[in-house]
Amino acid sequence: MTNNLDAPIYFLAIDNGTQSVRALIFDQFGTEIAKARVPIEPYFSTQASFAEQHADYYWQKLSEACQQLWQTCDITPTQIVGVSLATQRYTMICLDKDKQPLRPAIVWMDFRQGEPNDLGFLSPLTKLIGMGELVEEAQQKARCNWLAHHEPEIWAKTAHYVNLSAYLTYQLTAQLADSTGHALGYLPYDYKAQAWFKPSNLKWRLFSCRLEQMPTLISPGQQLGSITAKAAAATGILEGTLMIAAASDKACEALGSAGLAADTACLSFGTTATINTTSTGYVEILKHMPSYTAAAPNYYNHEYMIYRGFWMVSWFKEQFAHYEEQLAKTQGIDTEKLLDQAIKDIPAGCMGLMMQPYWSPGVRHPGLEGKGAFIGFGDVHTRAHVYRAILEGLAYELKLGFDTIEKRTRKPIKHLRVSGGGSQSDSAMQLTADIFGMPAYRPHTFEATGLGAAINCAVGLGIYPDHLTATEAMTHLGDEFLPIDANVQLYKRLYHEVYLKMYDRLQPLYHSIQDITGYPEL
């Protein structure tokens, strides 16, 4: 690949998220040239706590997004020099020896629990060193263990146990390979070494899967294969176009938003809300929670997560904003724009109404007993106050993640980048700047995940020599939101004097609720 930066160079980035598939074209300067978005149904449930989706459904929607892209832009498939893929995390698929799906994919939002394996002499040892609960949790949440116990016939036929990313890569290239940046979840993966555990490692005993079932792992920015004739017919991508390894949606989003600067945090206002920093040092932000592989080789993401983050906005719309949804349809705008207008005159601090965003049980913080809570209700509060309290509560919790990351990494965070669907709200951006007490910036493109994938494509094709150079050329600042001093001081007191005390004060009540009602099921 010649490196002539004067002539336009176009990359195709595919972002298969939870609620949609996006096909995007970027140039070598990080400019978003064109995109197509196809909504997807996140999952279907056959039992309570199950979340599944057909693997070929994802492939169908990916192909549809690509075909729609070519129909709506002037760039042709012949102008695309490479393809990269980012997908949702830990959506697992069983493939037979012919690499065909044996059952629906188990989506990341699934809460089923498997059976612990017999560890023999290791079981007393794990309890002795205080790792018993952690080991049991890993075994119960490993999808392969549930499959081996509850669907042994399916598991016996499972020749390949892969993430959605590996399945889609196979559909595109006929190569069953995956990026280390996609290897995430309860899998036999060595997060520090960024590779599958060695066959001799005793941690394989935790899982029912075997090394031969796992896909070949490739570092971000390395070649995975090329587009096949079959994939070209389905997607319209030119046969032979090179496919370059990228990473998971959150890892690519962090790369496309904040680059590789260790002093810059990326806040992701997505279905799962996260705060990430990136560095070459491996640090566990919460005890026994690994640093995930970043969207650049030999880098790690230090992540703090709110499992049901900006999903709460969808929850609020479905439960309380029917009027705004109908009005938005008649005006041809997003419901969130009307909700933003409704809260713009509500003062910072929401007149004393505060929300704790633990709508789903946590792993380390909150614990499995965790539940959501609103406190401070009064007769002055309306639905709009509830909506603003949700946004403030999410920001408080991400601020807790900010403080935790700084403490664990011992590195100050000096800059904030905010991306994801929720970042389109000016109100959410302003209150984030106020709660964090520092300027908050949107990336120059809303499609930060796609940009992260495109950066990997640029590196893999030799347009830039490395990820650092590529991020410096392709990531830029967008809108700026400066903190308002009076709001900063008010939020600082609410955060320290109220929010940080809520969980400890409410935790015993959460335990009682679980004991009395059986919900959430532990």
Side-chain angles (χ1 to χ4, degrees), residues 208-284:
S208 296
C209 55
R210 308 177 305 279
L211 182 58
E212 57 267 26
Q213 289 176 296
M214 315 311 291
T216 301
L217 291 181
I218 306 293
S219 294
Q222 299 296 310
Q223 184 176 327
L224 286 165
S226 57
I227 303 301
T228 65
K230 182 179 178 182
T235 63
I237 306 170
L238 190 68
E239 181 183 357
T241 304
L242 292 178
M243 183 170 181
I244 306 299
S248 70
D249 51 5
K250 294 297 184 184
C252 281
E253 187 175 3
L255 184 69
S257 298
L260 297 175
D263 64 354
T264 303
C266 169
L267 276 63
S268 172
F269 287 180
T271 305
T272 295
T274 58
I275 177 170
N276 266 296
T277 60
T278 304
S279 78
T280 55
Y282 180 88
V283 180
E284 294 182 352

Side-chain angles (χ1 to χ4, degrees), residues 322-335 338:
H322 296 159
Y323 169 75
E324 287 82 1
E325 286 199 289
Q326 292 301 316
L327 184 59
K329 287 180 181 178
T330 64
Q331 296 183 5
I333 61 176
D334 293 331
T335 307
L338 291 180

Side-chain angles (χ1 to χ4, degrees), residues 255-256 258-261 455 459 464 466-476:
L255 184 69
L260 297 175
I455 288 169
V459 174
Y464 297 105
D466 52 50
H467 284 75
L468 183 59
T469 306
T471 56
E472 290 173 348
M474 297 177 70
T475 62
H476 315 287

Side-chain angles (χ1 to χ4, degrees), residues 146-432:
W146 185 93
L147 290 161
H149 183 81
H150 293 277
E151 297 181 0
E153 299 84 2
I154 294 290
W155 188 244
K157 296 177 183 177
T158 301
H160 308 282
Y161 179 59
V162 300
N163 259 310
L164 172 62
S165 48
Y167 172 73
L168 293 177
T169 297
Y170 175 74
Q171 293 295 102
L172 287 163
T173 67
Q175 302 296 317
L176 198 60
D178 205 357
S179 167
T180 53
H182 284 292
L184 185 149
Y186 292 92
L187 296 167
Y189 181 71
D190 187 333
Y191 287 91
K192 190 171 185 179
Q194 299 189 350
W196 299 125
F197 285 127
K198 294 180 179 179
S200 59
N201 195 307
L202 292 175
K203 290 180 180 177
W204 279 98
R205 296 281 296 275
L206 301 178
F207 306 98
S208 296
C209 55
R210 308 177 305 279
L211 182 58
E212 57 267 26
Q213 289 176 296
M214 315 311 291
T216 301
L217 291 181
I218 306 293
S219 294
Q222 299 296 310
Q223 184 176 327
L224 286 165
S226 57
I227 303 301
T228 65
K230 182 179 178 182
T235 63
I237 306 170
L238 190 68
E239 181 183 357
T241 304
L242 292 178
M243 183 170 181
I244 306 299
S248 70
D249 51 5
K250 294 297 184 184
C252 281
E253 187 175 3
L255 184 69
S257 298
L260 297 175
D263 64 354
T264 303
C266 169
L267 276 63
S268 172
F269 287 180
T271 305
T272 295
T274 58
I275 177 170
N276 266 296
T277 60
T278 304
S279 78
T280 55
Y282 180 88
V283 180
E284 294 182 352
I285 300 305
L286 297 176
K287 189 176 181 180
H288 304 310
M289 287 293 290
S291 281
Y292 299 141
T293 301
N298 304 314
Y299 280 83
Y300 302 92
N301 285 145
H302 312 303
E303 179 178 293
Y304 188 96
M305 177 178 70
I306 308 174
Y307 187 78
R308 290 276 189 175
F310 275 75
W311 167 90
M312 290 183 193
V313 173
S314 299
W315 170 82
F316 179 85
K317 289 192 299 183
E318 291 171 3
Q319 301 301 323
F320 305 110
H322 296 159
Y323 169 75
E324 287 82 1
E325 286 199 289
Q326 292 301 316
L327 184 59
K329 287 180 181 178
T330 64
Q331 296 183 5
I333 61 176
D334 293 331
T335 307
E336 285 83 352
K337 287 191 177 298
L338 291 180
L339 293 173
D340 248 19
Q341 293 174 15
I343 67 172
K344 64 182 176 65
D345 293 326
I346 295 176
C350 213
M351 303 178 75
L353 185 62
M354 297 188 69
M355 187 274 288
Q356 189 176 70
Y358 300 157
W359 257 238
S360 293
V363 179
R364 298 290 172 270
H365 180 88
L368 293 174
E369 80 293 334
K371 299 180 75 67
F374 282 90
I375 64 171
F377 269 112
D379 60 2
V380 298
H381 293 123
T382 65
R383 289 182 305 124
H385 289 84
V386 173
Y387 181 69
R388 184 180 177 97
I390 288 173
L391 297 180
E392 290 183 347
L394 290 168
Y396 285 135
E397 185 66 15
L398 289 172
K399 177 64 166 67
L400 176 57
F402 177 103
D403 293 345
T404 304
I405 291 172
E406 279 199 328
K407 181 179 178 180
R408 292 288 297 145
T409 62
R410 299 180 181 178
K411 294 179 181 178
I413 299 172
K414 300 177 181 179
H415 309 285
L416 282 186
R417 307 289 182 263
V418 188
S419 58
S423 70
Q424 294 182 89
S425 163
D426 286 355
S427 295
M429 290 295 299
Q430 184 59 56
L431 66 86
T432 297

